[in-house]
């Protein structure tokens, strides 16, 4: 470790604090700083560094594949970024515990290794991973995206810590600290400016892009099936799960609201989105000022590619447990996530008072010119204008309930404005889009501001899961009417629509539900709050594992005191097999008076001993020992585990039979 | 013609070595070096006194591997075209036709190479370095298996032109055969009472087997420490006292390939320091130019290399 004491540990702890993986970070920091606390050094051969680098590569690939499959590309990148310090830990820790033996570039890149093997080229000189690792910890901590000032302060402190040891000595410490503070402040101003610039550009681009491409639920427009022939068929798969936490379950979950109708399409006009700042934990969002609390509901479901419009019960003023990067609310009450997990399970707090919908504008009273005469006629017939709003709503409700029927099948194709006329006058049958559209337009014709809302109806309670489940076929449309200064849900679709939709369910539905439930449990665990719970368990599990690993390394014979490096300084090349037991045999033979000349290879040396040895020394097992030792030392492919064991065993048995006492006596008074 | 499976490379070496040893008594080390040069794609310069069996060794090798063999006796009046070939005007075809010289063969014995003029010696340069010869501006490729065994009498003899340094550097190995022991010499006498054993030598390996042997040598593994050791040895020759010109990177390469070949012959898949030491003198010494003063005081190039081998700590 060539870094200032404690810097690497501090960087790792900072990373753990930011990514909520503190237990793991504590273990990692202890391992990395252990080299300063204990005097032992472990020598790793190059092949072992190579293997550790391969292990890190495998961990990285595993993380990429796992996160890619479960979280989608965007989240996978962020997730892998956050885990990088752990992924690289084996290699960095081994270097730290070896007392900073240099790790070569070829260790990190398989292609360079192969090239070096093929061309017989010398490997590059090594380098120390400590500083790059500190930088990696900061990068990974930034990926956790905890938006507090502490991050910047901590990064400045770490940078100053790293630079302190290399500060110019001719400058006083006070001046140096002042310069660092100045630079930090400049950096802070610069990054705020960049952030504002990005926001400004993003707002423009996003609006333009969304208008261009459209979305799963487009908060700006929805094309109804009004006038299209055939059966409206929606899937039976479960899209949302709803659990009332306090109070009653809301029957309707709204996704988006529209205020302008034109030839079978509803548009959201003047509905720009405004950014909602997150609270300190990054997962709580105050959508509007709270005036009390009447209930709470938890809604769980998939968020395609981590973005989309949330389904919310009416009266929601705050969202909790929603880890997302950006959340926006439109003037028409749509709540949109820009960058979030692929699965969300958020709790909406409900309260009385103004909803998220903006006050009515002239758009909420506009009638489409072609349908206007027909609508006025119907309003005249029902005498809606002369009634007070509650009465008008009741009249309208009974008008649709008694004279219309719900139909998923539309027998004839009628185009454009004629479709609505056909529904109101002739066929008097249709699905919820007809009812909702007609209701909104009739309310407007009667002088009441009204809007068209789409979302889901929650009315299927699963005893098995003990919560409400919402299927794709529960998608619904209804009207919003502005009465007594507040927006109210007005659902005029005849109640039998739910049974009619349920009748389309297949016999296999329970089976699919079970499958979906299993998937839901897995997703909820996978995306559980900050993943801190199981990461915590993992951390506790890693502590004994690390302890066992350290013990295993410690108990091997490759111990050496720090500073007692045997490498000659001019040989920078790493020494594979430096822990070979043969060296003990060589030392023992030297003690017995058979010193090896520096330029004398092992085989001639052993043969020389063979020719001059006393009877008490056997050299027969040493020749095969030399062969094993050579394979361990000089074969780039290394030695097999069994050969390694044979080397160890042969050397030990020879040493046991030539221990100092026995052979010393046999040699008599041999000069040492 | 039936296809036969080529024997394992190591077996090829052992068969050929045994075959040559039937003729060359007591010369196992020289045979090993010769085959190491052949297998590692180098060329050999045999320097020894007349009558020690240099030519016999080359002929025995050629006969053993069933390769095409040509012998060129170098003399002071020998011209480059006598080795490479010459373009002759064909009256009937109204064009020049290239008549290939003796160099277009598998094994070329350049006997007493230092008796020819330097100009003729240099005619071998391109052939040994690049496997091709250029005559009248046209390049002609030599055989895939092209191996030069040159012999020379010790340089101090009369009527010799010492080989230029560049030519010496082209030879991977230089070694001598030396006089054999009295016992071996007695055996040689009794064997040649009735006839020459060379006549009884049969082909025991095909040209493809030798090519396979060369491929196998290239696949022998070598650790970084050994490479570093080789480089250290060669670099030490450049700064050794009394040396005007040290070993080139070509010397390092030749030493590496020779050590790989020896490892293969020993049945080890990787190179050990012993292999490097075994051939270091034969591969490096002839490339060194020792300054006259040092030579006068008894310093020889092989002695310098041996001292270096003793001084540099061997990886163990």
């Amino acid at each position: 470790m060539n870094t200032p004491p404690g810097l690497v540990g501090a960087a790792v702890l900072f990373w753990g604090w930011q990514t909520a993986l503190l237990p793991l970070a504590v273990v990692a920091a202890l391992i990395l700083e252990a080299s300063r606390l204990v005097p032992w050094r472990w020598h790793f051969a190059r092949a072992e560094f190579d293997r550790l680098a391969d292990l890190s590569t495998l961990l990285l690939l595993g993380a990429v594949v796992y996160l890619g499959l479960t979280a989608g590309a965007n989240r996978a990148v962020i997730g892998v970024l956050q885990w990088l310090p752990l992924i690289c830990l084996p290699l960095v820790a081994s270097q730290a515990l070896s007392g900073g033996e240099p790790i070569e570039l070829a260790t990190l890149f398989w292609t360079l290794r192969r090239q070096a093997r093929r061309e017989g080229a010398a490997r590059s000189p090594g380098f120390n991973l400590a500083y790059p690792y500190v930088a990696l910890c900061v990068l990974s901590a930034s990926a956790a995206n905890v938006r507090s000032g502490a991050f910047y302060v901590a990064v400045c402190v770490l940078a100053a810590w790293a630079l302190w040891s290399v500060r110019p000595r001719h400058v006083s410490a006070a001046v140096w600290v002042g310069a660092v503070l100045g630079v930090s402040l400049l950096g802070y101003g610069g990054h705020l400016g960049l952030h504002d610039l990005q926001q400004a550009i993003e707002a423009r681009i996003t609006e333009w892009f969304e208008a261009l491409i459209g979305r799963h639920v487009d908060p700006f427009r929805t094309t109804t099936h009004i006038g299209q022939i055939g059966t409206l068929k929606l899937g039976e798969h479960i899209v949302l799960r709803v659990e009332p936490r306090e109070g009653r379950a809301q029957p309707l979950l709204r996704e988006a609201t529209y205020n302008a109708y034109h030839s079978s399409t509803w548009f959201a006009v003047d509905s720009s989105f405004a950014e909602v700042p997150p609270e300190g934990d990054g997962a709580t969002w105050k959508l509007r000022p709270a005036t009390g609390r009447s209930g709470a509901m938890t809604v769980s479901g998939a968020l395609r590619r981590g973005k989309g419009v949330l389904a919310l019960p009416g009266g929601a003023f705050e969202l909790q447990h929603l880890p997302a990067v950006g959340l926006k609310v439109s003037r028409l009450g749509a709540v949109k996530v820009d960058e979030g997990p692929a699965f969300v399970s958020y709790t909406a707090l409900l309260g009385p008072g103004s909803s998220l919908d903006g006050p009515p504008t002239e758009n909420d009273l506009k009638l489409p010119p072609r349908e206007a005469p027909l609508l006025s006629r119907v309003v005249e017939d029902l005498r809606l204008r002369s009634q007070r709003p509650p009465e008008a709503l009741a009249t309208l409700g009974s008008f649709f309930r008694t004279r219309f029927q719900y139909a998923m099948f539309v027998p004839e194709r009628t185009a454009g404005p004629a479709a609505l006329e056909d529904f109101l006058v002739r066929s008097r049958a249709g699905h919820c889009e007809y009812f909702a559209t007609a209701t909104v337009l009739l309310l407007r014709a009667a002088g009441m501001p009204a809007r068209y809302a789409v979302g889901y109806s929650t009315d299927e309670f699963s005893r098995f899961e003990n919560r409400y489940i919402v299927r794709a076929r529960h998608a619904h449309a209804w009207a919003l009417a502005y009465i007594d200064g507040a927006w109210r849900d007005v659902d005029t679709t005849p109640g039998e629509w739910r049974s009619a939709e349920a009748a389309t369910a297949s016999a296999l539905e329970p089976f699919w539900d079970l499958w979906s439930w299993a998937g839901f449990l897995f997703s909820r665990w996978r995306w559980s709050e900050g993943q801190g719970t199981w990461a915590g368990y993992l951390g506790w599990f890693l502590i004994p594992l690390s302890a066992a690993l350290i013990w295993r390394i410690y108990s091997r014979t490759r111990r050496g005191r720090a500073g007692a490096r045997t490498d000659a300084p001019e040989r920078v090349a790493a020494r594979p097999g430096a822990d070979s037991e043969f060296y003990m045999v060589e030392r023992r033979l030297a003690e017995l008076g058979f010193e090896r000349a520096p330029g004398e290879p092992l085989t001639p040396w052993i043969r020389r001993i063979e020719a001059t040895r006393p009877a008490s020394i056997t050299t027969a097992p040493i020749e095969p020992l030399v062969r094993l030792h050579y394979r361990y030392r000089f074969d780039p492919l290394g030695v097999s585990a069994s050969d390694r064991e044979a080397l160890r065993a042969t050397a030990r048995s020879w040493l046991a039979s030539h221990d100092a006492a026995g052979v010393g006596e046999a040699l008599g008074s041999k000069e040492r | 013609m039936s296809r036969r499976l080529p024997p394992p490379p190591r077996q090829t070496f052992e068969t050929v070595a045994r075959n040559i040893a039937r003729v060359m008594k007591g010369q196992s080390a020289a045979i090993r070096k010769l085959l190491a040069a052949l297998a590692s794609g180098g060329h050999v310069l045999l320097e020894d006194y007349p009558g020690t069996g240099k030519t016999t060794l080359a002929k025995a090798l050629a006969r053993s591997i069933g390769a095409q063999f040509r012998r060129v006796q170098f003399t002071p009046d020998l011209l480059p075209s006598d080795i490479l070939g010459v373009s002759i005007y064909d009256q009937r075809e109204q064009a020049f036709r290239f008549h290939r010289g003796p160099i277009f063969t598998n094994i070329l014995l350049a006997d007493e190479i230092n008796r020819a003029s330097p100009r003729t010696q240099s005619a071998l340069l391109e052939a040994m370095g690049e496997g091709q010869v250029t005559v009248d501006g046209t390049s002609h490729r030599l055989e895939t298996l092209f191996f030069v065994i040159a012999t020379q009498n010790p340089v101090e003899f009369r009527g010799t032109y010492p080989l230029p340094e560049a030519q010496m550097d082209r030879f991977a190995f230089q070694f001598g055969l030396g006089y054999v022991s009295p016992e071996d010499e007695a055996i040689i006498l009794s064997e040649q009472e009735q006839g020459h054993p060379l006549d009884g030598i049969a082909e025991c390996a095909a040209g493809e087997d030798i090519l396979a042997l060369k491929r196998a040598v290239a696949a022998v593994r070598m650790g970084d420490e050994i490479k570093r050791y080789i480089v250290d040895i060669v670099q030490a020759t450049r700064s050794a006292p009394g040396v005007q010109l040290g070993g080139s990177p070509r010397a390092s390469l030749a030493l590496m390939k020779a050590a790989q070949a020896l490892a293969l012959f020993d049945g080890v898949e990787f190179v050990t320091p012993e292999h490097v030491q075994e051939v270091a003198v034969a591969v490096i010494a002839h490339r060194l130019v020792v300054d006259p003063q040092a030579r006068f005081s008894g310093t020889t190039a092989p002695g310098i290399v041996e001292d270096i081998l003793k001084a540099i700590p061997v990886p163990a």
Side-chain angles (χ1 to χ4, degrees):
Chain A
M1 301 280 272
N2 58 351
T3 48
L7 173 66
V8 177
V12 175
L13 289 175
F14 167 62
W15 163 79
W17 168 48
Q18 292 286 303
T19 53
L21 297 170
L22 206 52
L24 289 181
V26 170
V27 176
L30 280 176
I31 293 173
L32 290 170
E33 292 294 339
S35 60
R36 294 187 204 281
L37 308 174
V38 296
W40 304 113
R41 291 290 173 270
W42 292 280
H43 298 306
F44 288 86
R46 196 179 58 204
E48 285 165 325
F49 277 138
D50 286 357
R51 275 184 217 127
L52 285 163
D54 291 343
L55 171 69
S56 291
T57 309
L58 284 175
L59 287 173
L60 178 68
L61 287 174
V64 168
V65 170
Y66 172 74
L67 289 168
L69 288 176
T70 54
N74 278 353
R75 302 288 306 172
V77 171
I78 301 285
V80 169
L81 259 180
Q82 286 191 38
W83 284 84
L84 271 179
L86 271 190
I87 288 168
C88 300
L89 183 65
L91 195 60
V92 181
S94 62
Q95 188 178 33
L97 293 173
S98 74
E101 282 183 26
I103 286 180
E104 296 152 341
L105 202 60
T107 294
L108 306 182
F109 297 99
W110 190 74
T111 44
L112 284 182
R113 247 186 272 165
R114 204 180 49 172
Q115 189 183 355
R117 265 205 306 273
R118 204 177 43 226
E119 299 174 0
R123 281 195 175 190
S124 56
F127 62 96
N128 197 306
L129 292 172
Y131 277 116
Y133 190 68
V134 171
L136 181 74
C137 285
V138 172
L139 177 74
S140 298
S142 73
N145 202 22
V146 178
R147 301 192 170 196
S148 67
F151 178 85
Y152 187 75
V153 174
V155 169
C156 290
V157 168
L158 283 174
W161 195 336
L163 293 169
W164 175 253
S165 57
V166 292
R167 70 187 190 283
R169 301 290 171 200
H170 59 270
V171 177
S172 77
V175 172
W176 186 86
V177 170
V180 168
L181 276 175
V183 168
S184 304
L185 288 171
L186 279 175
Y188 189 71
H191 100 246
L192 282 187
L194 272 176
H195 178 256
D196 290 352
L197 180 69
Q198 185 197 354
Q199 290 291 314
I201 293 173
E202 229 176 41
R204 292 287 151 79
I205 296 278
T206 320
E207 283 172 20
W208 174 76
F209 219 69
E210 282 170 352
L212 195 77
I213 288 181
R215 177 73 71 72
H216 183 49
V217 172
D218 185 341
F220 296 99
R221 62 187 287 176
T222 177
T223 303
T224 64
H225 294 79
I226 293 173
Q228 290 181 18
I229 196 163
T231 305
L232 181 69
K233 180 82 181 89
L234 290 163
E236 61 196 45
H237 61 273
I238 298 171
V239 288
L240 294 172
R241 287 174 167 77
V242 182
E243 291 169 87
R245 300 276 173 203
E246 300 165 23
R248 289 180 49 251
Q250 296 274 335
L252 293 171
L253 295 176
R254 179 147 46 107
E255 284 186 314
T257 315
Y258 307 90
N259 56 4
Y261 180 76
H262 178 75
S263 65
S264 303
T265 303
W266 278 99
F267 297 89
V269 196
D270 295 340
S271 67
S272 57
F273 277 90
E275 189 97 37
V276 177
E279 300 304 303
D281 63 353
T284 303
W285 312 80
K286 284 194 177 4
L287 303 177
R288 62 181 172 92
T291 52
R293 184 160 156 177
S294 63
M297 282 169 74
T298 297
V299 182
S300 316
L303 207 54
R304 273 202 327 178
R305 295 202 215 102
K307 53 179 56 172
V309 177
L310 300 180
L312 291 177
F317 66 85
E318 183 177 315
L319 299 181
Q320 294 177 341
H321 314 304
L322 178 63
V325 174
L327 189 121
K328 293 177 178 158
V329 177
S330 81
R331 280 198 210 155
L332 296 184
V335 177
K336 185 172 68 165
V337 171
D338 274 346
E339 186 67 53
F343 175 87
V344 286
S345 181
Y346 50 92
T347 302
L349 304 186
L350 317 178
S354 64
S355 64
L356 299 175
D357 307 283
T361 63
E362 72 265 17
N363 283 324
D364 300 321
L365 286 166
K366 267 189 191 159
L367 292 175
R370 289 190 201 166
E371 285 94 342
L374 162 74
L375 294 165
S376 302
R377 245 194 353 264
V378 177
V379 168
E380 291 290 313
D381 291 349
L382 296 175
R383 298 197 183 80
L384 288 179
R385 288 212 178 92
S386 57
Q387 299 175 4
R388 292 185 50 249
E391 291 167 19
L393 287 185
T395 310
L396 206 52
S398 70
F399 166 69
F400 282 117
R401 252 197 320 280
T402 53
R403 302 200 208 168
F404 286 73
Q405 55 179 333
Y406 183 77
M408 284 183 293
F409 182 75
V410 178
E412 297 175 59
R413 182 182 176 88
T414 41
L420 202 64
E421 186 181 352
D422 185 71
F423 167 72
L424 282 172
V425 179
R426 276 188 296 280
S427 74
R428 302 225 160 175
H431 42 77
C432 56
E433 288 176 341
Y434 283 96
F435 286 95
T437 305
T439 307
V440 173
L441 296 179
L442 287 173
L443 285 172
R444 287 183 181 186
M448 254 183 277
R451 289 174 184 170
Y452 176 89
V454 298
Y456 293 98
S457 151
T458 57
D459 52 359
E460 185 177 342
F461 187 79
S462 163
R463 291 183 181 284
F464 171 67
E465 292 192 34
N466 198 24
R467 62 168 69 86
Y468 287 95
I469 52 177
V470 178
R471 302 177 189 277
R473 66 162 189 261
H474 293 154
H476 195 42
W478 63 94
L480 294 179
Y482 193 74
I483 295 167
D484 302 336
W487 289 99
R488 282 182 46 192
D489 290 332
V490 180
D491 186 1
T492 52
T493 308
E496 72 258 25
W497 78 271
R498 298 187 172 95
S499 48
E501 292 279 2
T504 64
S506 79
L508 286 174
E509 192 177 82
F511 173 75
W512 296 125
D513 286 358
L514 195 66
W515 175 247
S516 160
W517 178 68
F520 162 71
L521 290 184
F522 174 77
S523 300
R524 194 171 59 173
W525 167 80
R526 161 79 187 81
W527 295 101
S528 60
E529 180 58 31
Q531 300 158 30
T533 46
W534 64 273
Y537 295 134
L538 194 65
W540 291 114
F541 169 70
L542 277 182
I543 291 172
L545 202 68
S546 314
L549 187 70
I550 289 170
W551 170 247
R552 210 178 143 231
I553 296 173
Y554 175 80
S555 60
R556 289 173 63 172
T557 52
R558 55 166 61 183
R559 300 200 298 270
R561 298 292 298 191
R565 296 286 298 275
T566 51
D567 291 23
E570 72 275 4
R571 279 200 182 278
V572 280
R575 289 192 42 175
D579 61 340
S580 168
E581 287 74 10
F582 179 84
Y583 293 123
M584 294 197 270
V585 174
E586 189 183 352
R587 262 200 304 277
R588 185 80 195 99
L589 283 166
E591 286 166 9
L592 296 172
F594 296 104
E595 193 87 40
R596 186 170 66 83
E600 189 175 27
L602 298 181
T603 317
W605 175 59
I606 297 296
R607 296 206 175 129
R608 183 162 63 85
I609 298 173
E610 177 70 31
T612 57
R613 69 187 171 89
S616 60
I617 299 179
T618 54
T619 52
I622 300 187
E623 290 239 10
L625 186 64
V626 168
R627 278 199 292 276
L628 285 173
H629 167 75
Y630 267 175
R631 180 173 292 277
Y632 188 31
R633 289 274 290 113
F634 300 126
D635 189 348
L637 291 189
V639 70
S640 69
S642 59
D643 280 355
R644 181 74 190 86
E645 197 45 51
L647 170 60
R648 198 173 287 136
T650 316
R652 288 201 174 144
S653 76
W654 186 91
L655 284 166
S657 60
H658 293 74
D659 63 331
V663 181
E665 278 171 38
L667 284 173
S669 58
K670 190 165 178 52
E671 287 293 312
R672 297 281 161 91
Chain B
M1 191 176 134
S2 65
R3 298 275 303 146
R4 69 177 186 96
L5 277 175
R10 192 181 171 204
Q11 195 185 316
T12 306
F13 156 74
E14 283 170 352
T15 323
V16 175
R18 257 200 316 275
N19 219 31
I20 299 175
R22 285 172 51 202
V23 184
M24 301 294 297
K25 293 294 164 210
Q27 295 286 14
S28 57
I31 294 170
R32 198 169 138 90
K33 287 195 190 102
L34 181 81
L35 291 177
L38 174 71
S40 61
H43 306 286
V44 170
L45 180 61
L46 296 175
E47 182 180 281
D48 220 322
Y49 302 106
T52 43
K54 302 188 292 284
T55 311
T56 311
L57 179 64
K59 279 184 170 174
L61 172 68
R63 290 195 188 180
S64 298
I65 64 176
Q68 206 187 359
F69 173 73
R70 292 282 187 81
R71 170 183 175 158
V72 180
Q73 187 65 43
F74 280 52
T75 56
D77 60 349
L78 189 79
L79 294 174
S81 56
D82 297 337
I83 305 170
L84 307 180
V86 65
S87 295
I88 295 172
Y89 187 72
D90 190 328
Q91 293 277 12
R92 260 176 308 177
E93 302 221 353
Q94 302 272 313
F96 279 97
R97 275 190 47 220
F98 179 63
H99 287 257
R100 304 190 337 159
I103 200 160
F104 290 89
T105 181
N106 295 131
I107 297 184
L108 177 73
L109 174 59
D111 221 355
E112 301 199 66
I113 190 170
N114 56 346
R115 292 207 173 276
S117 65
R119 179 187 167 200
T120 308
Q121 291 169 357
S122 300
L124 274 175
L125 270 182
E126 187 191 8
M128 286 167 62
E130 283 136 67
Q132 63 173 30
V133 296
T134 309
V135 179
D136 298 339
T138 315
S139 293
H140 305 271
R141 288 225 54 82
L142 296 174
E143 302 291 334
T144 322
L145 175 60
F146 175 64
F147 183 49
V148 176
I149 305 176
T151 70
Q152 69 171 8
N153 297 325
V155 186
E156 290 78 14
F157 275 43
R158 289 182 206 85
T160 57
Y161 300 92
L163 286 169
E165 289 79 19
Q167 179 74 27
M168 286 300 258
D169 206 22
R170 287 281 194 284
F171 286 105
F173 281 72
Q174 180 196 341
F175 55 91
L177 299 175
Y179 295 122
V180 293
S181 65
E183 296 80 23
D184 283 330
E185 202 164 338
I187 295 172
I188 292 173
L189 293 187
S190 38
E191 276 189 343
Q192 298 204 11
E193 241 175 327
Q194 302 301 327
H196 203 290
L198 204 56
D199 303 334
I201 284 234
E203 180 186 332
C204 63
E208 298 93 72
D209 300 349
I210 302 301
L211 292 177
L213 181 67
K214 285 174 87 161
R215 279 194 299 271
V217 164
V220 171
R221 300 189 288 273
M222 185 177 250
D224 292 12
E225 236 179 315
I226 303 284
K227 287 175 195 155
R228 188 61 206 255
Y229 180 55
I230 288 174
V231 171
D232 286 351
I233 293 170
V234 175
Q235 283 202 321
T237 63
R238 296 171 200 167
S239 55
V243 175
Q244 271 183 333
L245 179 68
S248 60
R250 190 184 282 145
S252 309
L253 277 170
L255 186 48
M256 177 179 88
K257 289 179 180 164
Q260 282 177 308
L262 292 184
L264 179 79
F265 297 167
D266 288 344
V268 199
E269 307 95 274
F270 56 94
V271 177
T272 69
E274 279 84 339
H275 296 132
V276 176
Q277 284 209 354
E278 185 182 347
V279 286
V281 175
V283 170
I284 300 172
H286 64 281
R287 303 167 200 261
L288 306 185
V289 178
V290 183
D291 69 38
Q293 219 174 347
R295 224 179 18 225
F296 187 70
S297 61
T299 309
T300 62
I304 289 170
V305 178
E306 276 163 12
D307 290 346
I308 287 171
L309 290 180
K310 286 200 187 87
I312 293 182
V314 67

